[in-house]
Amino acid sequence: MANLRLMVILVTVLIYLLPSCIKSLEIILPKSLNLTLLNDTSTISAASQDFGNITTVKPGGVLCPSSPAEISRLLSYAANGERKFQVAARGQGHSLKGQASVLDGVIINMTCLSGVVVSDDMKYADVAGGALWVDVLKKTAEKGASPVSWTDYLHVSVGGTLSNAGIGGEVFRNGPQISNVLELDVITGKGEMLTCSPQLNSELFDGVLGGLGQFGIITRARIVLNHAPKRAKWIRMLYSDFTAFTKDQERLISMANDTGVDYLEGQLFMSNGVVDTSFFPPADQSKVADLVKSHGIIYVLQVAKYYDDATLPIINQVIDKLTKTLSYLPGFISMHDVTYFDFLNRVKAEEDKLRSLGLWDVPHPWLNLFVPKSQILDFHQGVVKDILLKQNSTSGLTLLYPTNRNKWDNRMSAMITDEEDVVYVIGLLQSATPQNVPEVESVNEKIIRVCKDSGIKIKQYLMHYTRKEDWVEHFGTKWSDFSRRKDLFDPKKLLSPGQDIF
């Protein structure tokens, strides 16, 4: 009995001591590498969290590289040195469930590499992987140029969005951000520094774009530029009928190659959530709120038309022609005239507002989906009406808008439903408290289950699977190439372990 008690005490002590022992294990690099890892408390704490605010994963150290060569030396040592450790590139940490994290390994702070150089002919910009899109916009706009595809939120890194896809309201016209890249500099899991493009090292180029950080770290991207307009006509229209709402959206994106809108997204106002009426004139705001209350759901079509001095004389005629053919509720249309920069950076104002209220750094159990056009009515009934609208309350945005499948390059790693020409982007962008995260995640799981049971062929975006069979199903026919590229470019499985793929 005494021996049994002693064993229990020893096991209890080990349980409490083991985490602290693991924590104290530091990654010590040879002096010959000439690399400095930061491991102070504040740095490690910041690198342990991400935008999702759901997971905490502590790295062993953080590297702030002064050049891509330092990343190459680190990865070469990790692959061939005495002690193996894993590595994750991190920009702004805008992942949702620790995808840019690494337990006891090394985080590479990519924001330490943030240069932007515009070509003399203004046809492209060479951009460091850690540069923020908002800074790319500022730098290119100085020269009268601009990238052609944007995410809704610009304070994220170039390498981060290109490792996923980079989607927003211009996708229907110009494709995701990965479709607008001419060339990359990438450091593979073996420490190789390679330049790649559709013509050079194309296997790496296609793999890295949308590849979730599995094959290499993007240190430079050559981004397509076009003329930068000066201003935007920013318009919101309200619908009470879902079919009319989707029909108008689909017609507008079919005009992508004509003189249609430059940006299109859709949003849902639901009676069990917060309805932001501030875009509308003060005299109409109570009417909008009453509309949502009486219908349960109101559908918001949001479009923008860019213009500058050359198109100023006809912009109002173009807008008038577009809006006259749409089936929104009479009287429920509002238009703002803003600078091009302010339109693209519009979410920053919302961020500042939420930060002032202490509502930005909260858990974000988001669910992002692609849904085929032919099944969007089924999704609306089975998910929006039968699940979301029946919740006691919702906190956050619900986005729903179509995009053209032919604007995506199927050779790249990014996945989207490929059965049809038009695919809907769904963003269930919920905020939560630490206490109700399980409840919101349970709703997300129910949505996925209902879609599968109903035969709705969804694909997730910014997903986090923990089972290999889910990843195999996600990539489908691309899985064999995805797995082969991992063996080719990161054979020791060092890169981006937070994705939980290999």
Side-chain angles (χ1 to χ4, degrees), residues 119-182:
S119 66
D120 291 338
D121 60 7
M122 295 186 294
K123 290 185 177 180
Y124 64 83
D126 283 322
V127 182
L132 304 188
W133 281 105
V134 69
D135 295 325
V136 176
L137 174 58
K138 290 176 181 177
K139 191 73 173 180
T140 56
E142 290 175 1
K143 304 289 182 70
S146 168
V148 298
S149 187
W150 298 96
T151 51
D152 290 333
Y153 183 60
L154 302 187
H155 295 255
V156 288
S157 71
V158 170
T161 64
L162 296 183
S163 294
N164 289 280
I167 61 174
E170 287 95 355
V171 174
F172 77 93
R173 178 180 284 274
N174 299 311
Q177 290 177 326
I178 57 173
S179 295
N180 295 280
V181 179
L182 300 173

Side-chain angles (χ1 to χ4, degrees), residues 40 47 76 80 100 152 177 184 224 243 280 287 290 298 314 413 424 449 454 458 490:
D40 58 279
S76 294
N80 303 304
D152 290 333
Q177 290 177 326
L184 298 170
V224 172
T243 301
F280 288 82
K287 296 177 185 177
D290 289 342
I298 287 295
I314 63 167
S413 294
Y424 273 80
R449 187 168 63 251
S454 304
I458 61 171
D490 184 25

